[in-house]
Amino acid sequence: MNEQNRHDNHAPAGVTRRQLLSAFGIAGAALAAQSVLSFQSIAAQSSSVTGSVYGTGASVAGATYGPNGGGPGYPPGQALSGGVLHLLYESVAAMQADTSLTDGLLASTAGYYEPGDGGGANYTIGASALPEDGGGVIALANGLQALLLPGDSIRYKQFGAVCDGTNDDGVQIKKAHAYANEKGLSIVNRSGEYWIKATNEIAIKTNVDWGHTKFHIDESFNTRTNPRFRVTSRTSETAIVLDAAAKASMLSKLKPGTTLISELAPYKNCLVFVVDRNDKIGVRYGYDHNGWDREEFFYVEEHGRLIGDIAWTFKDYTSLVAYPCDDNYLIIDGGTFYLSGTSPGAGGAYLHNGILVRRSRTVIRNQWVGLEPGASDVSLDPRQGFYFFSNVFDVTLDNVRLIPWEQDRVGTDRDVPAGTYGIGGSRVLNATFRNVTAEGSDVHWGVFGTNLFKNFRIEGCRLNRVDVHFHCWNLYVKDSEIGYKGFTLTGGGDLFIENTRRFGTRFIDFRNDYGAKWDGNIRLTGCRLVLTSGTAEAVALYSVPANFDYKYPIGYGRSIKIDDFIFDYTGVPNPTGICRIMKIASFSKITATNARLFFPSSIEFSNVIVVGREKGVRILEIANPLSYDLGKPGGYDADRVTPNCYMRFAHIQGEKVPPQTSQSTTHVNFLLNALGTASYDDANALYPKINIVDCGDFFGHFKGAVADVHMSDCTVNCIDAYEGGPMRGKLVFASCRLRADAVDDGKQLYSLSATHGVSFIDCTIHAPVLGGVERPDLLARYDFIQMNNTLRYNHLGTKLAKSLVDYFANAGTPVEPEFYAMLKSHHESESVSMAKRKGTTAERPAPAKFNSEKGYAYFDTDLGEPVVWDGARWVSPAKAGDTLHFYAPGLPSSAGTVMKRAENHPSQEYVLPQAGSLVRYAVHVNAPGTSAAFTFDLLKNGSVWVSGIAGPSSSANPKLAAPTDNAAFQAGDRLSVRIAAVDSSLAASTYATVDLYVSYVNY
């Protein structure tokens, strides 16, 4: 075995592994007993200990030693069966003072400074020249060195940590970790108190078990670039170089939705970063900020399979780097950290004060972090974060208590000039925070301060803030509590939050400085916003960007679903503030660039309630739908709306808004605002279908926008569906209560114009309330109803509230059956006016009231019978005209003969039942004749009425003609026909008929 191998393996020359283990089995027992002083006392009084002889060179188990008993470490010598001398010392200093040591011996110490101080260790003695570190390699007399035999782990006191509150124990701790890193050993240091002052950059590359160990960190020595502990990988990053073809192929795949890039298959088990420094995105509004480099990162598995969504499309890149990930987990377990709360006065620079993790697959767990007992946070410098993660994959923080730091103290002279954090990080993929607690008051800044966090998971935590400034992608939060500073986010992917409470006034605050964007799906399930102010505006989703070029697309998510959400005012006084489910900006296009904001294709809010007060919530105000980009086509034409967005608001405790004029937009539950004449940008603009179900009191407007709206089981306050033109779409009310409650400005309380129609199904109409007073007399201010007069739109089973029915009955104008019939079933193509069905002749409805509908029946009480409108006049429903038939069985007969109506008829006359006129007559003979074969007279009331009417000619038999003279008659007139003259050529048996066609005038 060469010299280097002996040093690396801590074994003296000529000592076998078996001898070494035997020797240190005995030594270990002695160390465990920590009774070296009593052992020395016994040895001094006796020359023989269980068969072994110490002192003046006597033989011990067949080995003879010289007269070396006078050394300060003697008599601890003991000969083992293999002939190896093993020496036991009280301390390292005692071992160093022994000038009798020779190469090849074994030694143990009962402590580093004194027996029992926890620094005891085993060593080999060698004539080596390794760098001395006070623990792994200790300088001895005569050029010798004691080389640590550590076993499976290392303790800090083996490297001389003093633990007296004065010494900078970080020096020895750093050496201990350096030794453990070199040898691949764990640090197992489960107890003791250590003070770290100026020391930093303590490198950790192996597992650490700190147990109940306490660290006191003097923050006045914090620095900008050097953490106290740095968890690092044993691997190094490497640049990925692709030829032109492979690069072009990779770039073509580097876009959202890609899950496999075969060109990166050689870099499996690597975290890969793609950066284009020539393409800036994410300019920060309100700051002197030029934007971030376009960059993406993901983990590569077998055959180029990617873990981590790609959010951006790349035209090129300036760097492509792979960070190989370790093939095992590094676990740091236990430890308590007391921080001084002081400041080095770095002029506002961000400082490190804890653990920087630059190694993938790292787990930190079971730790407590806080201030020194009795200390306060007085630092004026912002902190990077006690835990800071950078360029890593698959890291976990588990069972940890730490604190956010003070920032906004009383007054301004002691404020920290920037955000200061307990947890920080950037460029992290698959980070899990489980059972982490870090809470504070309004004075404290957020515990989190991160950028570029992907697949970020929080489980069972209590944190005062979850913050990702730039580019969070996929955030999952479950069973947690988020305190006063809340969620402050931008990014995309999945934002899923379940069974989580937030203390403050905004459940999620999408950061205005980075565009308030979320490019993905948002789900809140079983969450609660616990209000900390009763008067401040409360919002579940606050997403209000500035009208500013952020250099990337901004918008409000691709889909949103909120279910079982509670606004909790229980613990605050004066709970009067406005409460909103979602709040967005008033524009849909960036002025400077014409870039359009993206908008969700699906929004669902359900089961949203308020506790601690009666006042409910407002849903959403969309001030300008014209220019949003839905990413898929919709549209509007004369027949229908083709929706590209589905909105559903169900079972929401809607706010009864303060009294205001009916068309006001100051306080609304929902607003979709656009001029009826305004053009939408294109088919990708917002064309929604909106379902509003059981949302309490609803005061909202759709103006002239495009939408299909279905409302059910709501109390509908004022609605305005007209602005520069009617709403483009349809309105449907099902099982709703129509009850306007407004300030009286003399205008309509409902304006329900919609190009595709308005329908009421099983709804109830209530009297309006104006100025707090119920006013049934002003029911006509509803644009669709005037009692017993007009009813607009489609109705099926519409009802009137009892108070309305009673009011009109008591006023002497009870609701007419005809009006009830309209309420029961009415179509918008029918007349809007009520048409009476009975009354006097003078009360007959004007034809316009029933759209001049042919066949409309009216019972004329003056006549005692019904009349029917035939499209031009009122007529008898039984007969509008008649045919009066006369005949002569034998011609010629003498002039003056009366033609028969019927055989043996007493008068041979027709009595006319109503007024009318003769419109036609027909004459027929059964044999051809010459012109005017016979003539006849028409008699009315026995007198000639129309005379000299000629019969048929040989060319026109029968003859059909109209009278040439006035042929009017009155009801009761009697008509008959008399033969005036007969042609002599006609046979005596000639048969002739005369038919008179009469038409009765209208009633």
Side-chain angles (χ1 to χ4, degrees), residues 950-968:
S953 66
S954 57
S955 62
N957 186 15
K959 175 185 179 181
L960 182 64
T964 57
D965 299 325
N966 179 25

Side-chain angles (χ1 to χ4, degrees), residues 546-554 587-598 624 626-629 681-682 684-685:
N547 192 343
F548 173 77
D549 182 12
Y550 292 94
K551 299 296 184 184
Y552 56 21
I554 62 172
F587 57 90
S588 55
K589 180 186 292 186
I590 303 300
T591 302
T593 63
N594 285 328
R596 296 160 63 178
L597 277 64
F598 57 80
N624 186 340
L626 306 175
S627 299
Y628 286 118
D629 186 354
D681 278 17
D682 56 27
N684 282 358

Side-chain angles (χ1 to χ4, degrees), residues 296-308:
E296 191 55 91
F297 56 99
F298 40 79
Y299 176 81
V300 180
E301 266 291 359
E302 299 288 335
H303 299 285
R305 177 70 164 88
L306 307 185
I307 295 177

Side-chain angles (χ1 to χ4, degrees), residues 241-517:
V241 179
L242 301 175
D243 61 33
K247 178 179 179 179
S249 177
M250 193 201 81
L251 281 172
S252 70
K253 301 172 186 176
L254 201 59
K255 60 186 178 181
T258 294
T259 58
L260 185 72
I261 299 180
S262 56
E263 289 78 11
L264 297 178
Y267 299 93
K268 67 180 181 181
N269 195 35
C270 289
L271 187 61
V272 173
F273 289 84
V274 188
V275 180
D276 187 355
R277 294 187 178 87
N278 298 322
D279 189 359
K280 298 295 184 180
I281 59 175
V283 176
R284 192 175 188 184
Y285 172 70
Y287 291 79
D288 184 11
H289 187 265
N290 294 324
W292 293 69
D293 298 335
R294 186 182 295 269
E295 69 174 279
E296 191 55 91
F297 56 99
F298 40 79
Y299 176 81
V300 180
E301 266 291 359
E302 299 288 335
H303 299 285
R305 177 70 164 88
L306 307 185
I307 295 177
D309 298 340
I310 296 176
W312 312 113
T313 298
F314 285 75
K315 297 177 182 177
D316 198 359
Y317 59 80
T318 56
S319 69
L320 182 62
V321 178
Y323 286 75
C325 298
D326 291 80
D327 57 5
N328 54 53
Y329 284 87
L330 188 153
I331 299 174
I332 300 174
D333 195 342
T336 299
F337 297 86
Y338 290 112
L339 307 179
S340 67
T342 52
S343 174
Y350 274 93
L351 306 179
H352 285 281
N353 69 332
I355 302 172
L356 169 64
V357 178
R358 292 293 300 267
R359 181 197 193 275
S360 295
R361 297 193 175 97
T362 295
V363 178
I364 301 175
R365 65 192 185 197
N366 305 323
Q367 293 188 347
W368 189 99
V369 181
L371 289 166
E372 290 280 5
S376 298
D377 177 16
V378 296
S379 175
L380 297 179
D381 297 309
R383 298 168 171 91
Q384 293 274 21
F386 184 83
Y387 301 100
F388 193 94
F389 302 87
S390 178
N391 291 39
V392 289
F393 167 73
D394 193 6
V395 292
T396 299
L397 198 61
D398 192 2
N399 291 345
V400 170
R401 185 271 186 186
L402 71 157
I403 58 174
W405 296 103
E406 294 184 17
Q407 194 267 343
D408 188 14
R409 303 178 178 110
V410 177
T412 58
D413 58 317
R414 296 184 302 112
D415 287 350
V416 178
T420 180
Y421 302 101
I423 302 174
S426 64
R427 300 171 179 84
V428 177
L429 176 63
N430 284 23
T432 299
F433 297 84
R434 186 182 298 114
N435 194 28
V436 177
T437 299
E439 261 295 6
S441 68
D442 279 333
V443 171
H444 294 86
W445 195 248
V447 68
F448 267 103
T450 62
N451 294 288
L452 295 125
F453 256 54
K454 297 175 62 173
N455 298 1
F456 182 8
R457 187 175 295 273
I458 295 172
E459 301 171 359
C461 294
R462 182 160 185 167
L463 308 168
N464 86 317
R465 188 184 197 184
V466 175
D467 179 23
V468 182
H469 298 59
F470 172 72
H471 198 57
C472 175
W473 197 270
N474 294 337
L475 171 59
Y476 306 93
V477 182
K478 184 178 181 181
D479 303 331
S480 296
E481 292 187 357
I482 309 301
Y484 296 142
K485 300 302 181 180
F487 292 99
T488 51
L489 308 169
T490 60
D494 292 338
L495 174 55
F496 290 0
I497 303 178
E498 179 182 349
N499 190 34
T500 292
R501 295 197 299 173
R502 152 83 167 106
F503 294 81
T505 57
R506 298 174 183 173
F507 192 85
I508 296 180
D509 192 346
F510 293 102
R511 296 183 63 113
N512 167 271
D513 52 350
Y514 281 109
K517 69 169 287 185

Side-chain angles (χ1 to χ4, degrees), residues 705-930:
V706 175
D708 274 352
V709 180
H710 296 248
M711 297 186 65
S712 61
D713 199 23
C714 296
T715 296
V716 182
N717 202 322
C718 299
I719 288 182
D720 184 4
Y722 187 96
E723 188 71 27
M727 170 186 159
R728 288 166 280 181
K730 67 181 177 181
L731 280 167
V732 177
F733 303 95
S735 300
C736 289
R737 297 160 295 282
L738 283 296
R739 183 177 185 271
D741 187 349
V743 172
D744 190 0
D745 64 351
K747 294 182 179 179
Q748 294 283 3
L749 300 173
Y750 295 100
S751 298
L752 302 181
S753 300
T755 57
H756 296 160
V758 179
S759 298
F760 297 86
I761 304 169
D762 194 29
C763 293
T764 302
I765 301 171
H766 296 258
V769 177
L770 296 174
V773 178
E774 191 171 86
R775 296 292 302 274
D777 57 312
L778 297 180
L779 181 66
R781 297 271 289 281
Y782 294 178
D783 79 335
F784 60 90
I785 184 170
Q786 293 185 42
M787 191 63 68
N788 293 335
N789 189 358
T790 59
L791 186 69
R792 299 176 62 197
Y793 313 129
N794 301 298
H795 290 263
L796 183 63
T798 300
K799 295 175 285 294
L800 300 175
K802 184 177 183 299
S803 60
L804 265 182
V805 174
D806 291 345
Y807 168 81
F808 286 103
N810 293 334
T813 55
V815 182
E816 297 284 356
E818 294 87 347
F819 202 76
Y820 278 127
M822 294 178 74
L823 293 168
K824 181 179 179 181
S825 178
H826 184 261
H827 191 272
E828 62 188 357
S829 64
E830 297 176 304
S831 172
V832 301
S833 300
M834 186 194 82
K836 295 187 68 172
R837 291 287 186 177
K838 63 181 175 53
T840 66
T841 301
E843 292 175 326
R844 292 179 186 178
K849 288 199 169 186
F850 51 87
N851 284 351
S852 296
E853 176 189 348
K854 292 182 179 181
Y856 184 84
Y858 176 82
F859 188 85
D860 191 318
T861 55
D862 289 342
L863 295 177
E865 59 183 32
V867 293
V868 177
W869 184 258
D870 70 355
R873 58 190 176 179
W874 294 102
V875 298
S876 168
K879 186 179 292 186
D882 211 343
T883 300
L884 310 181
H885 180 69
F886 299 89
Y887 66 92
L891 288 177
S893 44
S894 60
T897 301
V898 176
M899 297 184 75
K900 294 180 180 182
R901 171 184 170 184
E903 293 294 329
N904 300 318
H905 191 278
S907 67
Q908 302 299 342
E909 294 175 320
Y910 282 89
V911 179
L912 299 171
Q914 59 197 80
S917 62
L918 174 65
V919 294
R920 290 283 191 278
Y921 62 86
V923 186
H924 187 257
V925 295
N926 68 339
T930 61

Side-chain angles (χ1 to χ4, degrees), residues 176-210:
H177 277 280
Y179 181 87
N181 295 340
E182 179 187 356
K183 305 304 180 184
L185 300 173
S186 298
I187 296 288
V188 178
N189 197 97
R190 297 194 179 106
S191 62
E193 292 193 59
Y194 299 85
W195 279 260
I196 299 176
K197 299 182 182 299
T199 303
N200 52 39
E201 292 291 349
I202 300 170
I204 298 176
K205 296 182 180 180
T206 62
N207 287 348
V208 176
D209 184 352
W210 276 326

